Amino acid sequence: MKTRILGKDLTVSAIGLGIMGMDHAYGKAADRGEMIELIRHSIALGGNFFDTAPIYGKANEMLLGEAVKGIRHQAVIATKFGIVGQTHSASGVENVLDSRPESIRKQVDESLRNLQTDYIDLYYQHRIDPNVPAEAVAEVMGELIKAGKIRHWGVSNAPIEYMEKAHAVTPITATENQYSMVFRAPEKALFDFCEAKQIGFVAYSPLGNGFLSGRFNAQTQYAEGNFRRTMGRFRADVMANNQPVLDLLTEIAAAKTATPAQIVLAWELAQKPFIVPISGTTKQSRLQENLGAMAVELSTNEVARINQELDAMHIDETHF
């Protein structure tokens, strides 16, 4: 198993597995038995870092808990707090946020029950609550760590100013943000902050929600409930604009005897030593492909060339 360290001392596999898509956002829920087998197979292949959240559905946390029952010590579980529901309207979906201390304490106990465990390895604030100061949230995280209910904590999509305030109270182990070849915003300032503060960076949607795998094109039809139907990056014009990225990946993959997805993940790992991508899948073949990226080595010159070519491209980062 190739591992990385998040923060000061949380050791995880260099590539993680997102559980979200097994229940949420990509259509109907996947078969429970097959997903339990998939999660266990991930551990066998050296991928021990798993990411879930209550807003993906109570069943999502329960699935992960059931899968690692009896082998809990072999898994590193990340789940989240702070989003307690969603409202739907003509203008879209809005998260219902609640990070009040009393609410966090209830949320963590519910997640522990769902996961059938007595501790959570990494507990993220899923989205910041504008009504609760960063220091108040961090103080509760410190209490939960002392109580043994969580071992580390982190944030997701939080502003740097918020992270700085929280980190001063209870050190943050990781931040989870979108990052890929078609969404490189974290490179501007967040990577420097993480490096300076010794905070890990967990990259969600490392394959651009599947765009960078090369499996989709402008003619692809998505099933009802698959949120690619409404994502800007899957519009025909955006896909056409970003085709040069796929062409570059295809060329490099052929030269390295790898797949485009493996090149993407290897590229992310090569950017910074504190980056851990988490990719989601419901298929054994994709799991093996994704985790196989840990064995793909990109030289300094290869990474520099990829970055140079990406910099020269006009990449459309539309993603909602």
Side-chain angles (χ1 to χ4, degrees), residues 216-218 220-230 234 239:
F216 306 105
N217 57 50
T220 303
Q221 298 295 310
Y222 304 104
E224 190 69 37
N226 188 324
F227 77 161
R228 292 190 185 97
R229 290 166 66 113
T230 59
F234 289 96
M239 294 186 80

Side-chain angles (χ1 to χ4, degrees), residues 11-235:
T11 302
V12 300
S13 55
I15 293 175
L17 175 64
I19 308 301
M20 180 189 82
M22 298 178 184
D23 284 296
H24 179 78
Y26 291 104
K28 67 178 184 179
D31 179 87
R32 302 291 87 177
E34 291 177 6
M35 293 307 96
I36 288 172
E37 186 179 336
L38 184 80
I39 292 165
R40 287 178 168 258
H41 191 47
S42 179
I43 292 174
L45 292 174
N48 73 345
F49 184 35
F50 303 101
D51 183 274
T52 182
I55 198 61
Y56 306 154
K58 180 178 178 178
N60 205 250
E61 284 188 324
M62 293 177 71
L63 169 65
L64 180 55
E66 187 64 30
V68 301
K69 188 189 292 186
I71 53 169
R72 174 66 183 92
H73 63 289
Q74 296 182 44
V76 179
I77 291 177
T79 192
K80 308 175 185 78
F81 68 93
I83 301 179
V84 295
Q86 292 181 322
T87 59
H88 299 259
S89 67
S91 58
V93 179
E94 274 196 39
N95 293 321
V96 179
L97 306 173
D98 191 349
S99 284
R100 293 171 301 157
E102 62 270 29
S103 178
I104 293 173
R105 295 184 187 103
K106 290 178 182 176
Q107 290 176 61
V108 72
D109 286 342
E110 178 69 17
S111 286
L112 288 169
R113 284 192 292 271
N114 291 341
L115 291 163
Q116 302 181 62
T117 185
D118 56 4
Y119 69 94
I120 293 162
D121 297 282
L122 180 56
Y123 200 41
Y124 293 112
Q125 184 179 26
H126 206 163
R127 294 293 184 272
I128 68 168
D129 184 340
N131 298 313
V132 182
E135 295 89 344
V137 172
E139 191 172 326
V140 177
M141 293 300 104
E143 292 173 9
L144 295 178
I145 290 169
K146 285 179 183 175
K149 292 186 176 184
I150 69 173
R151 295 189 171 177
H152 303 266
W153 86 286
V155 292
S156 180
N157 290 307
I160 288 175
E161 297 79 11
Y162 183 95
M163 292 173 64
E164 196 145 30
K165 291 175 183 177
H167 190 69
V169 176
T170 303
I172 292 171
T173 292
T175 180
E176 183 179 80
N177 294 62
Q178 180 174 188
Y179 178 57
S180 73
M181 286 182 177
V182 291
F183 191 81
R184 298 173 66 193
E187 294 177 357
K188 294 184 174 75
L190 188 52
F191 283 179
D192 287 344
F193 178 79
C194 288
E195 199 154 23
K197 299 294 185 180
Q198 203 171 344
I199 296 172
F201 184 96
V202 177
Y204 72 78
S205 300
L207 298 173
N209 304 101
F211 171 77
L212 292 166
S213 70
R215 293 186 288 123
F216 306 105
N217 57 50
Q219 286 72 48
T220 303
Q221 298 295 310
Y222 304 104
E224 190 69 37
N226 188 324
F227 77 161
R228 292 190 185 97
R229 290 166 66 113
T230 59
M231 292 188 79
R233 70 167 46 122
F234 289 96
R235 289 201 324 251

Side-chain angles (χ1 to χ4, degrees), residues 245-277:
V245 182
L246 297 184
D247 294 340
L248 174 64
L249 285 173
T250 300
E251 175 196 336
I252 296 169
K256 301 289 288 187
T257 319
T259 68
Q262 288 175 331
I263 297 300
V264 172
L265 294 170
W267 169 82
E268 290 212 4
L269 291 172
Q271 295 303 305
K272 296 288 182 180
F274 53 79
I275 294 176
V276 175

